[in-house]
Amino acid sequence: MEHDLQLRAAARAIYDACYPSEEWAPCGFDEAERFGTVHYRQAVGAAQDARRALTPSEHRQLLLSIVL
């Protein structure tokens, strides 16, 4: 995800909001990213969901037509 800085920033914001201390997650975002923890994967999934929800449907259609 290092190539998508916006998605990474969103995942970090979600991770930090959902797992604010070691009581909630065993490590901080950078370490979780390095080890691919379940907490990190959940934050990335939430960031991807948020991107889809915030992207206008016309733009999604255009992106899909370019990709396909």
Side-chain angles (χ1 to χ4, degrees):
M1 195 173 45
E2 57 197 42
H3 63 281
D4 192 335
L5 299 179
Q6 285 182 327
L7 184 64
R8 185 175 189 274
R12 177 186 289 273
I14 291 167
Y15 186 94
D16 291 344
C18 293
Y19 309 115
S21 69
E22 287 190 12
E23 293 175 18
W24 294 90
C27 55
F29 180 81
D30 292 326
E31 194 173 351
E33 181 180 34
R34 185 170 43 255
F35 293 115
T37 67
V38 66
H39 302 87
Y40 168 77
R41 294 190 312 268
Q42 289 172 334
V44 170
Q48 291 169 334
D49 291 346
R51 177 189 288 183
R52 281 189 293 274
L54 296 170
T55 301
S57 60
E58 306 84 44
H59 186 74
R60 278 196 304 262
Q61 288 295 77
L62 177 61
L63 288 175
L64 283 175
S65 67
I66 292 171
V67 172
L68 298 176

